[in-house]
Amino acid sequence: MSYEKVLQAKNFVVGTKQTVKALKTGTVQEVILAADADQHVLAKVENTAKELLVPIQYADSMKKLGKACGIQVGATAVAIIN
């Protein structure tokens, strides 16, 4: 389900740093995180999203999430932009 949201989204950013940056601008509609990523990598994104009350969805695979974003490598975090 979360993969479909990425495929349908017109605007999104990929990566933990870009996701945190987008969260701080207040333009993020939803965050999708890869459940198989290292927890310490996801922690900053999760904490920032929870502080700002942005919904978080979990995808089961970094590889599948990256593919849904149209990139050749795995994606840890994706922010869907309004």
Side-chain angles (χ1 to χ4, degrees), residues 47-82:
N47 292 338
T48 305
K50 286 176 183 175
E51 282 177 23
L52 299 172
L53 304 175
V54 174
I56 301 172
Q57 295 285 329
Y58 291 90
D60 53 326
S61 166
M62 288 173 56
K63 188 171 184 168
K64 289 180 186 176
L65 188 56
K67 188 174 182 179
C69 294
I71 59 175
Q72 299 294 321
V73 294
T76 303
V78 177
I80 298 175
I81 308 295
N82 291 339

Side-chain angles (χ1 to χ4, degrees), residues 11-62:
N11 296 320
F12 59 87
V13 295
V14 181
T16 54
K17 289 180 185 176
Q18 295 294 72
T19 299
V20 170
K21 202 181 287 187
L23 281 164
K24 290 180 179 179
T25 66
T27 60
V28 176
Q29 175 181 322
E30 186 173 0
V31 172
I32 301 170
L33 302 174
D36 63 344
D38 289 334
Q39 184 57 41
H40 74 277
V41 174
L42 298 178
K44 184 164 180 128
V45 178
E46 282 181 318
N47 292 338
T48 305
K50 286 176 183 175
E51 282 177 23
L52 299 172
L53 304 175
V54 174
I56 301 172
Q57 295 285 329
Y58 291 90
D60 53 326
S61 166
M62 288 173 56

